[in-house]
Amino acid sequence: MTAELVRGQNHTLPQTRLEIRVSAGSPVVAGATLGDERGTVRGAEWIAHPASHRVPGLEVSRQAAADHRLAVDLDALPGSVHRVTVLLALPLGPGQPARFGAVAAPFVAVTGLDGTEIATFTLTGLDTESAVSALELYRRQGVWKVRAVGQGYAAGLAGMLADQGVAEAAEVAASIQEAVASGLARSVTPPPRTSDGERVRHPGGPPASGDGGPAAPAPPGPAPAPPDPAPAASDPAPARTETSGGPVNYAHPRRQTSAPPPPPPTAPPAAPGQPAQPVAGDATGWSMDERLYNQIWGMFEDLARAVAAYRSAVDFAESRMDQELDRALSDPRSRIGGAGDRAREEARAKHDELTGRAREALERDLAQLAAESAVVEPALPAAYAGWGNPVWHGYRVPMEIPMALRIGDLHLPEGIGLCIPLLVRLPLERGIWVDSGRTASEAAAATPGDRLRTLAMETAVALAARLLAVYPADEFSVHVIDPAGSAAGPLAPLVDAGVLAGPPTAGAEGVSSVLAHLTRRVDLMQMAIRAGASDALPPDLDSAEQLLIVNDFPHGFDDRAVTQLRYLADEGPSVGVHLLMVADREDTRAYGPVLDPLWRSLLRITPVADDHLADPWVGHAWTYEPLRAPQGSRVLEQVLALVAAARRAGYR
């Protein structure tokens, strides 16, 4: 029976391998500290936080999120640890809440690995505090217990760490917040949360990742703490079964069994003993496009969590083998004769058994997701489809804006051949930065610098073409700043089709003119919205969404232009002005940290394969690949020609 704790109350823990689940109304930082018998944290190595998410016996999220799962193995803690304190803090930065009193009360649950709740605690009564000690696990007379704490700190994370005896608490807190900010910047923005979940499974329908099929026994090690971002946050992780014979369930807990009308399609009945066949649109939603959108995000989350469970099992198997080998070799008697050899063989055999079972479970999930992807891809509308999809051959200029746009593909090394479409909501909620610099990826290292810059601009042009194609003809305008005129080749499809708002702008004077025009638009739109007087906007103001492509930044930009660009990045998306930057961050070194907020506000993509994007649940590093038209195809030019024709027809 679940113990519903109030502040100060405690409860005995019936087991030592646990999960601590955190749910909040907005992204929070989740961490934990290890304390000695006096509750003192002896050093930074006793703190688990996004920049250092693992300590012995404990793993936390690697990014801020509205939901977290922390994995705890009390038996694996150092012997001198008598207390584990779970900490929550609000991330710093523009647009983030400054106090817990402004957000929903966080809810914390201590559960077994099978998801059974042991104790829960709702942190009510918080106001000006921006950090809080939520609860603590403590050992008394050999017995572990949980206590609801709820102690808030108006001085924030630094004040909370200092209260626990951490030396240089301010520096440690700053490093944690810096890691959180970096994680948020590189994370894919998750879809809006719904009360009824995103995906739906029907009787006879395709199994969710980890649902259905032969059950695989769970490795007896702790699951990792899958973190969550935000626009880099963490949702609940896959449920794991503690007993060695139980099934591993990788399904995310927001699955539901019914959907709003119209109902999603159902799969044909499966033959006895055979898995059900997947169908496209197997998710909640009021339209097929919405169901496909939610299904793709469900596949994204399922793959993230399946791989997290696999990596966790492998890590546990290796850790267990190391501990068993250390115990065997610590006894001098086992070093003589065959006892030591037998212990090593048994430890390695157990390791191979655990990793083998985990691999079987992963391969089963990958096969299910691959089957689902095979039926989803051909059913995608143009906005969600790659350039090679036949849907583009029947393209017509749409009459309304779609929910989202595909801007690339994501994959993990364990999921060979399985790519997840990267969908971003429309209208764009943040700008996009195509990194033309040399990154650490193998593809970037093998590509000459000049070729990287050309590919980056081609990626930006293809993305602009997709945006033009999915908007109604008169509802999207594209401006280009090319200070040195170096992008004439990649820009040719847009220029030749005549779909730009004006010729690409070159020179410092042109840069200043375009930025002034768009800044004026943002100012006027904001004033009209605040005053509730949208009908008072000047007649010459273009009401369409605006996209500004900036090539080779910061060349051609003076300090005033840089300030205007930062203003557009921060304020533009809310009133329909969006940035598409093509730049190498190394070229902006002279500005120092002044431009750091700009880079963090943009979603970074690359012109070649690079593993820099994070999912919003677990924080894996996903390899991003841009969308390219098939070799020799003129689909992009044909689509732009149709857009241009629709615009000309609309202007008559």
Side-chain angles (χ1 to χ4, degrees), residues 507-521:
E509 185 176 345
V511 170
S512 176
S513 174
V514 172
L515 291 176
H517 168 72
L518 293 177
T519 299
R520 172 180 176 268
R521 184 189 186 281

Side-chain angles (χ1 to χ4, degrees), residues 29-32 44 47-54 60-62 172 175-176 179:
V29 182
I47 307 174
H49 55 82
S52 178
H53 69 285
R54 283 183 185 167
V60 304
S61 304
R62 284 176 286 186
V172 174
S175 68
I176 294 173

Side-chain angles (χ1 to χ4, degrees), residues 65 94 117 187 190 221 263 320 346 424 445 513-514 568 579:
E117 289 186 347
S187 176
R320 175 172 176 164
E346 291 174 359
V424 296
S513 174
V514 172
L568 293 178
L579 285 185

Side-chain angles (χ1 to χ4, degrees), residues 618-636:
V618 182
H620 293 313
W622 292 72
T623 297
Y624 167 85
E625 295 203 33
L627 297 176
R628 300 199 185 284
Q631 188 70 27
S633 170
R634 293 191 56 80
V635 61
L636 189 147

Side-chain angles (χ1 to χ4, degrees), residues 98-419:
R99 58 190 185 91
F100 273 106
V103 301
F107 173 80
V108 184
V110 180
T111 76
L113 297 186
D114 60 355
T116 302
E117 289 186 347
I118 299 170
T120 64
F121 175 43
T122 302
L123 285 77
T124 58
L126 298 175
D127 187 10
T128 60
E129 300 89 344
S130 59
V132 60
S133 294
L135 54 77
E136 62 183 18
L137 313 179
Y138 65 98
R139 180 168 54 188
R140 179 163 296 172
Q141 297 178 346
V143 177
W144 282 97
K145 298 183 178 183
V146 56
R147 176 187 290 122
V149 180
Q151 174 64 54
Y153 293 83
L157 191 56
M160 181 167 53
L161 294 176
D163 194 45
Q164 296 186 31
V166 177
E168 299 180 344
E171 289 78 3
V172 174
S175 68
I176 294 173
Q177 292 287 4
E178 176 66 23
V180 170
S182 298
L184 290 173
R186 75 185 186 93
S187 176
V188 178
T189 305
R193 298 182 63 187
T194 61
S195 59
D196 55 1
E198 284 100 13
R199 303 184 75 185
V200 59
R201 298 297 176 187
H202 311 281
S209 175
D211 296 344
D228 235 53
S234 151
D235 260 18
R240 302 284 301 281
T241 302
E242 186 176 15
T243 58
S244 60
V248 178
N249 176 16
Y250 298 107
H252 58 75
R254 293 205 306 275
R255 294 268 189 225
Q256 69 169 40
T257 55
S258 62
T266 57
Q274 298 296 320
Q277 296 301 309
V279 293
D282 182 33
T284 61
W286 296 91
S287 67
M288 189 59 174
D289 285 3
E290 184 178 359
R291 294 199 296 268
L292 286 167
Y293 172 82
N294 288 331
Q295 185 174 16
I296 289 171
W297 271 92
M299 293 166 58
F300 188 8
E301 183 172 358
D302 284 344
L303 180 56
R305 297 194 184 288
V307 171
Y310 169 73
R311 292 179 181 178
S312 172
V314 171
D315 288 345
F316 172 77
E318 293 176 351
S319 174
R320 175 172 176 164
M321 182 179 69
D322 291 342
Q323 291 175 7
E324 291 178 351
L325 291 175
D326 289 342
R327 282 197 298 269
L329 297 177
S330 64
D331 185 354
R333 292 171 296 180
S334 66
R335 302 174 194 166
I336 303 173
D341 293 337
R342 285 194 300 273
R344 283 189 286 269
E345 290 174 2
E346 291 174 359
R348 292 193 178 98
K350 187 63 175 176
H351 168 272
D352 293 344
E353 178 189 356
L354 294 175
T355 55
R357 281 157 45 187
R359 187 70 207 183
E360 288 177 5
L362 176 64
E363 289 176 352
R364 183 184 70 246
D365 289 342
L366 292 178
Q368 291 171 343
L369 286 169
E372 191 171 6
S373 177
V375 299
V376 167
E377 279 285 351
L380 295 178
Y384 302 174
W387 286 116
N389 192 307
V391 71
W392 286 105
H393 298 304
Y395 168 78
R396 294 292 181 270
V397 176
M399 300 298 292
E400 58 183 22
I401 303 171
M403 281 186 62
L405 179 73
R406 185 174 184 167
I407 64 170
D409 291 328
L410 298 172
H411 59 86
L412 291 172
E414 289 87 351
I416 299 174
L418 179 58
C419 291

